Structure formats: structure tokens, C-alpha cells
Amino acid sequence: MLIKFNVFGKPMSVQRKEGEWLLFLESATSMRVRVYDVVIPPELQEDELAGYLADIYHENANSKYLSVELISVLS
């Protein structure tokens, strides 16, 4: 499962793998770079991810991007 978000203007994705959530930065060319300095608790449910990312990255909020938005969910 791959879940894509717009995190205050930054394209990111979260992948569930072996019971863990993995966070990635997405590029315009579909390249993904793993974010290792943010650990998403494995017990978080899919519907809690946007809120968690908003808590972690709230300092990136600005007048153009006020929230974390779900873009897509790919199975």
C-alpha cells in the first residue's frame, strides 16, 4: 500500500511494509527518497497518517498550504 500526501506543499508518500510505516519524499520525476529522521508509529491507522504528518511538519505551513492533504491511495 502506498499513500500519497501533499504535506504543506511538499509531495510525500507513506508505505506500509512488514508492519511498519515508511515515509518518502516524492519528486516531480517519480523518484522517491526515504525519510529516516521521522518515525511513524506502527500502530497508527491509515486514517491517522495525515494528522500525524501535520503534527510533525506543522512548521512548514504557510498561507498557500495550510494543511496536509491526501492525494491518493494505491494498493
Side-chain angles (χ1 to χ4, degrees):
M1 171 186 305
L2 184 70
I3 307 166
K4 294 187 176 186
F5 293 95
N6 178 330
V7 181
F8 302 112
K10 187 182 300 188
M12 301 185 89
S13 62
V14 177
Q15 181 180 19
R16 185 77 171 182
K17 187 172 183 180
E18 298 176 6
E20 301 291 326
W21 292 112
L22 308 177
L23 181 62
F24 298 89
L25 284 172
E26 297 279 336
S27 75
T29 59
S30 298
M31 297 286 293
R32 293 173 40 205
V33 177
R34 176 86 188 271
V35 177
Y36 288 97
D37 58 343
V38 173
V39 176
I40 300 173
E43 64 272 7
L44 279 186
Q45 299 300 309
E46 181 181 331
D47 62 348
E48 299 174 297
L49 291 172
Y52 185 79
L53 292 172
D55 287 344
I56 297 296
Y57 288 101
H58 67 273
E59 67 276 358
N60 295 331
N62 58 61
S63 60
K64 186 173 181 182
Y65 300 104
L66 300 173
S67 63
V68 172
E69 298 175 3
L70 176 66
I71 296 173
S72 65
V73 178
L74 305 170
S75 298

